[in-house]
Amino acid sequence: MMLDLLGGFGEKGRTSLTVNSGNDRILLDVGIKAGASGAEYYPALDRPIGDINALFVSHAHEDHVGALSWLLSRGYVGPIFMTAETRDEAPATLAAYADPGDLSRFPLPVNRIEIFEPGDTIEIGNLTVRTGRSGHVVGGVWFAVDDGKSRAVYTADVVPDSNVFVMDTIPHCDLLVFDASYGADPVPGAARAREISQWVARHPQGCLLPTPLSGRSLELIAALPGSCAIHTGMRSSLEAQIGASAALLPGVSDLLRARLAGAADWTDADPLPSLPLLADDGMGEAGPSSRLLPRADDAGFPVLLTGHLPAGSPGDLLHRAGRADWVRMPTHPTLSGSVDIWEKAGRPEAIGHSCTTDLLKDLKSHIPSLRTQCRIGQRIAVPQGSKS
């Protein structure tokens, strides 16, 4: 079994790879790289599209599904496997990040989507694809691909110590392609949540919290010290996420449902509230936050950014100028989580995705089998015979 690395290796964004065994080839994720342009915006997919038997999408964030219309425009005609939640959220992501021309000609092809549940196993030729809950978003999954000789696990985005979501244990494998977004950051999610809560408490006259529509929004709502406001366009999605109780930790649904019921709806026509205001997306590239960031900046309204900021994005520019604060709300593994994933997978050879080279080097001292030189365009052989 071989892997082709197409995006997200040595960099953050456009996460994508293929798994190849004999005549069978599947594509795992097809993301874009926010802040990039031209060919660097899309996966480095050079081999014929017609060789791909199936596409599997882990979740609906832009760096995992944003290039779907681009892929379709290049001639992909096969099935698209995703969960129902990913299917429902993907159109908004494509509207924000797909090329408008590609999107108008190749919107989400609902009739070609094959829905599966986290935990399902899918057969594609001689490849067996096992899935599990990611702990990152409702409907998000990891993939374990087996050809009978070896097994590779691609975690996509995972959160082993989320305060909101459930992550299923990664199985033993021969090669682990895991979410290394934070490198060797040792600060756990609970500590960051307290830091964010304290920051919000210091701004009782209101503040802006840009956030992705799915995933981190629920983590923030759970962490906030009191009432909040949400952009009104987020409410139906947040209600649906909270309703997917199988993806959430015990008791969390009731907590989040109560907090969302008490949250004030806010529209673009309203004055800035004297509450923490959640608005999507997290970088200020699209959605309500693309309008709210400059408005908050002009008004001196405090801004707290809590996730990845691509160079040159509105959030990055505001932070670099000293006009927005930043505290990471972990929605990827911190150091203890990465080591735990690797150990539970049987300490296999490992490749980190969504991570720059310098951070990978820091992580290698904790995960000795980590291969830090893997880059886009490389083909990697999966070792045989060590899985159990």
Side-chain angles (χ1 to χ4, degrees):
M1 188 157 60
M2 308 290 291
L3 307 184
D4 290 323
L5 309 183
L6 307 177
F9 296 91
E11 64 178 5
K12 179 75 171 175
R14 60 170 174 169
T15 318
S16 184
L17 70 158
T18 59
V19 182
N20 316 278
S21 179
N23 293 323
D24 297 310
R25 183 177 184 225
I26 62 173
L27 178 62
L28 304 180
D29 280 342
V30 60
I32 58 90
K33 184 177 180 181
S37 60
E40 191 180 352
Y41 191 67
Y42 300 108
L45 187 57
D46 296 326
R47 289 182 56 187
I49 301 294
D51 290 351
I52 300 172
N53 301 103
L55 165 65
F56 289 80
V57 178
S58 64
H59 64 292
H61 286 163
E62 81 285 341
D63 52 334
H64 293 263
V65 76
L68 178 56
S69 294
W70 169 85
L71 180 72
L72 298 174
S73 77
R74 292 168 62 88
Y76 178 68
V77 296
I80 303 166
F81 290 87
M82 58 178 64
T83 64
E85 292 86 358
T86 300
R87 176 201 59 195
D88 294 345
E89 294 170 10
T93 303
L94 294 175
Y97 288 96
D99 175 87
D102 288 344
L103 182 59
S104 66
R105 292 179 296 122
F106 298 98
L108 187 72
V110 177
N111 61 325
R112 285 166 52 190
I113 294 175
E114 303 280 349
I115 297 296
F116 67 88
E117 294 285 339
D120 286 352
T121 297
I122 301 148
E123 305 284 343
I124 301 292
N126 75 327
L127 295 174
T128 299
V129 183
R130 176 180 165 188
T131 68
R133 292 171 292 182
S134 69
H136 181 65
V137 295
V138 170
V141 296
W142 48 254
F143 299 111
V145 186
D146 196 316
D147 69 351
K149 299 177 182 178
S150 56
R151 179 185 297 149
V153 168
Y154 163 60
T155 70
D157 290 352
V158 288
V159 192
D161 60 351
S162 171
N163 294 316
V164 171
F165 301 102
V166 177
M167 177 182 165
D168 292 320
T169 301
I170 298 291
H172 274 219
C173 58
D174 303 300
L175 181 65
L176 176 67
V177 183
F178 73 102
D179 179 2
S181 295
Y182 301 156
D185 181 358
V187 183
R192 297 289 195 191
R194 287 193 297 272
E195 189 176 353
I196 288 169
S197 177
Q198 292 164 359
W199 186 97
V200 170
R202 293 195 300 270
H203 297 83
Q205 300 308 309
C207 55
L208 174 62
L209 299 168
T211 176
L213 183 58
S214 61
R216 198 192 321 151
S217 291
L218 296 190
E219 300 273 10
L220 287 170
I221 291 172
L224 291 176
S227 299
C228 69
I230 60 168
H231 192 280
T232 189
M234 300 176 69
R235 184 171 290 276
S236 62
S237 175
L238 293 174
E239 288 174 343
Q241 293 174 57
I242 294 169
S245 58
L248 306 181
L249 294 168
V252 168
S253 289
D254 291 341
L255 168 68
L256 292 174
R257 190 174 291 111
R259 292 199 170 183
L260 185 61
D265 280 311
W266 188 89
T267 73
D268 288 359
D270 296 330
L272 293 170
S274 56
L275 290 168
L277 170 62
L278 275 64
D280 59 300
D281 72 8
M283 302 172 286
E285 291 274 10
S289 76
S290 66
R291 304 183 294 274
L292 267 168
L293 273 178
R295 180 176 171 183
D297 187 33
D298 289 344
F301 194 64
V303 175
L304 179 64
L305 303 158
T306 57
H308 174 60
L309 299 175
S313 65
D316 173 66
L317 295 176
L318 206 62
H319 180 242
R320 288 177 181 273
R323 299 199 300 273
D325 291 336
W326 182 87
V327 177
R328 172 177 287 155
M329 168 58 82
T331 53
H332 303 276
T334 54
L335 177 58
S336 62
S338 293
V339 172
D340 186 59
I341 289 170
W342 174 68
E343 289 181 340
K344 288 179 177 176
R347 299 192 170 197
E349 289 194 33
I351 300 172
H353 71 76
S354 304
C355 187
T356 57
T357 304
D358 55 335
L359 295 181
L360 283 174
K361 290 178 179 177
D362 293 340
L363 191 54
K364 184 173 176 61
S365 63
H366 304 275
I367 301 178
S369 65
L370 179 62
R371 300 166 63 172
T372 61
Q373 299 305 314
C374 294
R375 297 291 181 272
I376 297 167
Q378 291 181 349
R379 171 166 276 207
I380 305 296
V382 179
Q384 294 186 17
S386 63
K387 70 179 189 297
S388 60

